[in-house]
Amino acid sequence: MAETLGTFEQAVLLVTLRLGKQAYGRAILREMGETLGRDVAAGAVYATLARLEAKSYVASRLGEGTPERGGRARRYFRLTASGVHALNEAKTMLETLWQTVSWPVGGQA
Amino acid sequence: MRQGQNPEPPRWLENLLTCALPPSRQDDIPGDLREEFHARSVRGVPVNLWYIRQVAGLIGRQLYSGGKMRTLLLTCCGFTLLACVWLTTMESILRHPGYPSRMILDALLGAGSLAIGLVVLFLATTIWRWLALAAAVAAGGVGISAIVRDARAVHFEGFVLLIGSALSIQAALSIWVLVFRPRRERT
């Protein structure tokens, strides 16, 4: 069984998956902000990407730079087979958990 | 930022960020932030504060990203730096016989602690790492000899034991962080 993914990790993986070949640092950062509806700290996204890469859930490669970047290279990310498996497992687990209660959740108080 | 020019983030801040990042990320992360800075500037969104926040956040994370040993070393450096400032100040006030040479030694130890902290935070180059390591080992030697002298003296001074121990621990942590950790990162 893959290691349990946190909500932010799942969001980063899903955004990376959705962006496909255009998934580089800044694009992921922008898409995360738009998806979550708030300004996302760059540090949080890069730290999560580094953690996911250490777990082999994503892989990265360096691409070309552009004048807006001062010629600095872009780092493109893609999901690995383990990353896809972990995402699927996380969704299955959440769905299994939610099946045990009726939606919307009613309070006891 | 002047009008009519390609909007760019403050150069010194970008350099600071580059220095704080691990070598493998020194190109793409500042590049991403520069690209976003450019896009936000074109849209007319206030951008300098946003950039400062991102850089501060990234540097803050770097402080803790190196693991407990690195954080412990930085804490140790902060403590020994403050201790050396205190010792130098006390020597200059009390002026016991032989105080000038002790003041110089305290100031050197303090400068060493500051240098080790800065190298651990910002300078990843080999030459600076080895210089910081040399300073840490020398300070550790001073710490151990101070402890030995204190133990043999008629009047035991607790603060000497405390600061001497801190300098010795700082040397051990420096060896771990500056020598062994970079080797592990390379593999």
Side-chain angles (χ1 to χ4, degrees):
Chain A
M1 191 176 130
E3 204 175 321
T4 312
L5 291 169
T7 310
F8 201 76
E9 287 178 326
Q10 287 182 48
V12 170
L13 283 175
L14 285 169
V15 163
T16 307
L17 189 67
R18 194 160 66 223
L19 286 168
K21 287 184 176 173
Q22 293 305 311
Y24 70 99
R26 184 211 163 207
I28 295 171
L29 190 60
R30 292 207 66 170
E31 192 76 6
M32 284 287 292
E34 282 170 21
T35 306
L36 299 178
R38 61 183 166 87
D39 228 6
V40 177
V45 173
Y46 291 122
T48 306
L49 281 167
R51 200 165 53 244
L52 291 170
E53 197 164 15
K55 290 178 187 174
S56 300
Y57 290 164
V58 296
S60 71
R61 66 170 177 85
L62 284 176
E64 294 287 303
T66 62
E68 292 83 24
R69 302 172 62 83
R72 291 172 185 265
R74 282 177 175 172
R75 183 177 288 276
Y76 290 93
F77 294 89
R78 65 169 176 83
L79 259 70
T80 61
S82 309
V84 172
H85 178 71
L87 255 185
N88 283 325
E89 207 161 77
K91 187 170 189 311
T92 308
M93 195 175 78
L94 268 182
E95 280 174 352
T96 309
L97 280 173
W98 277 106
Q99 277 168 9
T100 60
V101 290
S102 56
W103 171 259
V105 178
Q108 295 283 319
Chain B
M1 188 174 69
R2 281 174 294 230
Q3 276 198 332
Q5 282 191 331
N6 202 14
E8 284 183 5
R11 183 61 59 91
W12 68 272
L13 213 52
E14 194 175 47
N15 289 340
L16 186 69
L17 172 65
T18 306
C19 289
L21 290 168
S24 60
R25 307 307 303 272
Q26 286 179 350
D27 212 32
D28 64 300
I29 292 179
D32 284 339
L33 292 189
R34 185 184 265 246
E35 195 179 334
E36 183 63 17
F37 185 96
H38 183 266
R40 284 178 183 240
S41 300
V42 169
R43 289 206 310 271
V45 180
V47 76
N48 277 329
L49 193 62
W50 171 84
Y51 192 81
I52 291 168
R53 264 202 349 256
Q54 304 309 316
V55 171
L58 279 160
I59 291 175
R61 279 174 190 276
Q62 281 304 310
L63 270 175
Y64 297 100
S65 67
K68 286 178 189 160
M69 299 299 250
R70 189 167 177 262
T71 310
L72 207 60
L73 173 59
L74 288 169
T75 310
C76 203
C77 287
F79 173 76
T80 52
L81 175 61
L82 287 175
C84 289
V85 170
W86 175 71
L87 283 174
T88 311
T89 310
M90 292 309 287
E91 290 287 1
S92 71
I93 293 169
L94 298 172
R95 296 182 177 235
H96 289 309
Y99 78 92
S101 56
R102 284 197 302 274
M103 268 180 75
I104 291 169
L105 181 64
D106 295 340
L108 283 173
L109 289 172
S113 298
L114 181 65
I116 296 162
L118 289 174
V119 167
V120 169
L121 277 177
F122 299 117
L123 292 164
T125 52
T126 310
I127 181 76
W128 282 107
R129 275 211 313 269
W130 283 107
L131 284 173
L133 189 68
V137 170
V142 171
I144 290 168
S145 74
I147 293 170
V148 171
R149 266 189 282 115
D150 193 39
R152 287 176 181 168
V154 180
H155 299 291
F156 176 77
E157 299 278 12
F159 75 91
V160 175
L161 178 67
L162 183 68
I163 298 170
S165 303
L167 288 170
S168 315
I169 292 167
Q170 179 180 283
L173 288 170
S174 298
I175 293 168
W176 175 263
V177 172
L178 296 167
V179 179
F180 294 118
R181 207 176 136 254
R183 271 188 200 160
R184 283 171 55 191
E185 277 176 357
R186 280 197 294 268
T187 55

